[in-house]
Amino acid sequence: DGKWLSQFFPSKEEAVTWELRNRLDKKQGRIVTNLNRKLTVTAFFGQWFQDTAHERTEGWSMSLRQMFKDYIACIIGMVEMKKVKPADVRRVLHHAHSLGRSAQTQTHIFNLLRSMFDDAVEDYEILDVNPVKRKLKPVIPEKESPHLTLDEVRRLSAYVVGKPFAVAVWLQFL
């Protein structure tokens, strides 16, 4: 197909094994290239973002691009994809936390990384393992919903008598 793949091996056996694996991959229809050896997180994000653009709204795309720029690119953007470790993901999330971002924002960042690296493993086949482990996902604290006291319910029900929205309020009491 005209593409040249090159790599240095300390022994002939390792070189033969590598060549056989590449030939097998090629026969099975996988893309065989050495371009991903130096592929950085930022370069991959650019391609991934473009390839998955049809899966999200324009507004969410803008949010993802900004999240990547503000929290991910500045920490691991120049790291090669194959060298990203769970500790690097932890550093990204810590960076967002140190900037005072909420657990919800940190979860959005985690989900962006998780999705991106899942696709790198499954769709692009440039990684064997996703470094974004589920155990790193930030915990969002649950907030108690405010409730009306019995006295407040009585006052509200007395207030809505005869109002056009009375039925809607009464339905909420059920």
Side-chain angles (χ1 to χ4, degrees), residues 123-149:
D123 297 344
Y124 295 88
E125 297 180 349
I126 59 173
L127 297 176
D128 297 324
V129 178
N130 186 342
V132 186
K133 305 298 182 195
R134 283 190 172 83
K135 70 178 187 173
L136 298 175
K137 186 173 184 175
V139 177
I140 300 173
E142 292 186 25
K143 295 180 183 176
E144 181 70 28
S145 298
H147 293 86
L148 297 176
T149 64

Side-chain angles (χ1 to χ4, degrees), residues 70-161:
D70 292 345
Y71 309 113
I72 300 169
C74 58
I75 303 296
I76 61 170
M78 297 313 296
V79 176
E80 293 174 23
M81 287 289 287
K82 290 187 178 227
K83 292 184 179 178
V84 175
K85 304 289 181 226
D88 297 319
V89 175
R90 186 175 279 121
R91 283 186 17 237
V92 169
L93 296 173
H94 178 74
H95 173 66
H97 177 76
S98 69
L99 293 174
R101 300 308 175 254
S102 69
Q104 184 66 54
T105 299
Q106 292 172 52
T107 301
H108 285 313
I109 296 164
F110 172 87
N111 289 338
L112 169 57
L113 284 167
R114 180 84 182 170
S115 179
M116 203 170 94
F117 280 91
D118 271 346
D119 287 349
V121 171
E122 296 169 14
D123 297 344
Y124 295 88
E125 297 180 349
I126 59 173
L127 297 176
D128 297 324
V129 178
N130 186 342
V132 186
K133 305 298 182 195
R134 283 190 172 83
K135 70 178 187 173
L136 298 175
K137 186 173 184 175
V139 177
I140 300 173
E142 292 186 25
K143 295 180 183 176
E144 181 70 28
S145 298
H147 293 86
L148 297 176
T149 64
L150 186 56
D151 185 49
E152 291 171 329
V153 169
R154 286 184 183 134
R155 285 195 326 235
L156 179 61
S157 62
Y159 174 77
V160 298
V161 172

Side-chain angles (χ1 to χ4, degrees), residues 37-54:
R37 281 196 299 170
K38 301 288 182 191
L39 184 65
T40 64
V41 173
T42 298
F44 178 75
F45 174 78
Q47 186 62 51
W48 173 83
F49 189 79
Q50 202 173 46
D51 293 346
T52 59
H54 67 281

